[in-house]
Amino acid sequence: MQRIFIANWKMNMSVAEMETYFQEFSKNSDFDNAEVVVCPPMPLLSLAAQHCAELGIALGAQNVFWEEAGAFTGEVSPLLLKDLGVQYVLIGHSERRQYFGETDQYVGRKVKAAIKAGLRPVVCVGESLIELRTNRTEDVIEEQISAVMRGLDPIEARRVIIAYEPVWAIGSGMTPTGEQVKEVALQIRKLMGDLFSLKIARDIKILYGGSVSPDNVDEFTASYVLHGALVGNASLDANKFSSLIQNGGGIRTASNQQEDTTPLHEGDFA
Ligand code: 13P
C-alpha cells in the first residue's frame, strides 16, 4: 500500500535551517512505497519547491484562501499555490480553527477552491479534550466531515485526504491507541459510504496526526484502514522524519540505502 507522510512545519524554520534540513534529508529521502510531503511556511514555498523537485518529494501548503484573486490582504490564492508547485494543502487544522476562527463552513469553501485549482486538500478533523471526555468524538467527526463533504460531488470527494488529529494529542505527547484511531477511521469510511459510495468509502485516504514519533508511528500505520501520518514536531528534524517514515512502513529504495562500508574478510564467504 502506498503510504503518505506529511511534515507540517507549522511556524518554524528559517531559510538557512531549511537549507540544512533538505541537505540532511536528501541522504535518506527516497522511499519506494511512500509519498513524502513537506509543508513549510508560505514564504519558504518557492525555495522549498526546488528542493522537493530535486528529491522527488511533494510540496504542501499549510493553508489556502477560497477566492482566486482580489482584495483579501494577507491571504493566499489556490492558483498561486498551484503555480508554485504545491500539490497538497492542509485545510482546517485545529490550530487554524482555534486561533483564527476557521469554521466548518470556511473549511468547506477552502476545500472546494483547492480542488478546483488542482490541489489535494488534507482536511483535518478531531475532537478536543473536553469532547473526548464527554464521549462526543463520534458526533464531532460526523459534524466536521459532513459539513465539508456535503458541498462536494463524488469526483471532488475522491481528491480529499482526511487527517484525524485529536486536538488533545497535538504537541502533547499523548496519543490515542491504534485501536481507537482505527475505530475513528472506520467511522469516517462509513460516513463517506453514506454520503457517496462504497468505493469512495474504501478508497479515501485517511491519516493520523498528533504526537506521532518514530517510536509510535507503526501503531497508526500498521492497519489497512490508515494510510500514513501527519507529523508536526517530529518532522522538524530531517533524520527523525526519515526514521519515522521508515518505521511507519516506508521502504527505502535500494539506491538510497546508506552504503555498508564494513570491510569484507575472506571468512565472510566461507
Ligand atoms: P505534533 O506532531 O507536534 O503533535 O503535531 C501534529 C500536528 O498538528 C500536525 O499537523
Side-chain angles (χ1 to χ4, degrees), residues 75-94:
E75 291 298 332
V76 178
S77 157
L79 299 182
L80 177 58
L81 293 182
K82 183 73 184 163
D83 221 16
L84 290 171
V86 170
Q87 291 162 266
Y88 295 81
V89 58
L90 307 182
I91 300 182
H93 191 282
S94 70

Side-chain angles (χ1 to χ4, degrees), residues 8 10 93 95 165 169-172 209-212 230-234:
N8 176 8
K10 307 192 180 183
H93 191 282
E95 285 147 19
E165 292 208 307
I170 296 176
S172 65
S211 296
V212 180
L230 174 54
V231 189
N233 244 321

Side-chain angles (χ1 to χ4, degrees), residues 1-268:
M1 177 167 74
Q2 165 89 351
R3 297 179 190 280
I4 306 174
F5 295 92
I6 305 182
N8 176 8
W9 287 355
K10 307 192 180 183
M11 203 178 72
N12 297 294
M13 212 68 87
S14 66
V15 174
E17 285 166 346
M18 183 190 70
E19 297 297 334
T20 312
Y21 184 98
F22 280 118
Q23 213 168 16
E24 206 47 49
F25 194 57
S26 68
K27 295 176 192 160
N28 286 304
S29 62
D30 267 352
F31 293 91
D32 274 340
N33 60 338
E35 169 86 325
V36 177
V37 185
V38 172
C39 302
M42 294 285 184
L44 293 181
L45 280 175
S46 66
L47 281 175
Q50 296 168 23
H51 290 288
C52 288
E54 271 164 29
L55 299 183
I57 61 176
L59 182 64
Q62 297 175 20
N63 187 23
V64 66
F65 193 52
W66 58 75
E67 293 290 346
E68 292 183 347
F72 302 103
T73 303
E75 291 298 332
V76 178
S77 157
L79 299 182
L80 177 58
L81 293 182
K82 183 73 184 163
D83 221 16
L84 290 171
V86 170
Q87 291 162 266
Y88 295 81
V89 58
L90 307 182
I91 300 182
H93 191 282
S94 70
E95 285 147 19
R96 299 233 33 106
R97 295 178 191 256
Q98 188 180 350
Y99 303 125
F100 304 99
E102 207 150 288
T103 62
D104 284 335
Q105 197 206 0
Y106 288 177
V107 174
R109 292 170 82 171
K110 290 181 173 197
V111 168
K112 206 147 171 88
I115 295 170
K116 187 167 171 228
L119 301 166
R120 270 203 98 166
V122 180
V123 177
C124 306
V125 297
E127 80 285 359
S128 64
L129 189 58
I130 185 103
E131 288 161 343
L132 172 78
R133 289 196 174 140
T134 51
N135 291 320
R136 291 207 56 236
T137 302
E138 215 178 306
D139 296 344
V140 171
I141 299 298
E142 178 165 0
E143 264 165 45
Q144 292 178 337
I145 300 269
S146 350
V148 171
M149 294 298 174
R150 259 198 306 265
L152 304 182
D153 64 34
I155 295 172
E156 292 171 323
R158 297 160 80 111
R159 303 272 307 154
V160 176
I161 296 170
I162 309 270
Y164 170 50
E165 292 208 307
V167 182
W168 53 270
I170 296 176
S172 65
M174 295 189 295
T175 61
T177 63
E179 238 356 85
Q180 284 165 328
V181 174
K182 195 166 140 190
E183 238 173 73
V184 174
L186 286 171
Q187 186 208 346
I188 294 172
R189 289 189 191 282
K190 182 165 181 322
L191 281 169
M192 294 301 281
D194 294 344
L195 287 162
F196 300 104
S197 66
L198 256 180
K199 175 150 178 49
I200 294 184
R202 227 184 356 241
D203 293 349
I204 186 129
K205 304 235 181 293
I206 305 178
L207 313 179
Y208 168 74
S211 296
V212 180
S213 71
D215 298 333
N216 66 16
V217 63
D218 61 329
E219 189 164 347
F220 308 112
T221 52
S223 153
Y224 67 96
V225 291
L226 286 155
H227 290 85
L230 174 54
V231 189
N233 244 321
S235 76
L236 291 172
D237 176 312
N239 292 318
K240 213 182 218 184
F241 187 45
S242 183
S243 310
L244 186 153
I245 297 169
Q246 192 168 27
N247 295 354
I251 300 166
R252 290 220 165 101
T253 47
S255 62
N256 199 240
Q257 306 267 6
Q258 289 283 1
E259 214 177 316
D260 184 356
T261 50
T262 325
L264 289 176
H265 301 287
E266 231 173 276
D268 293 342

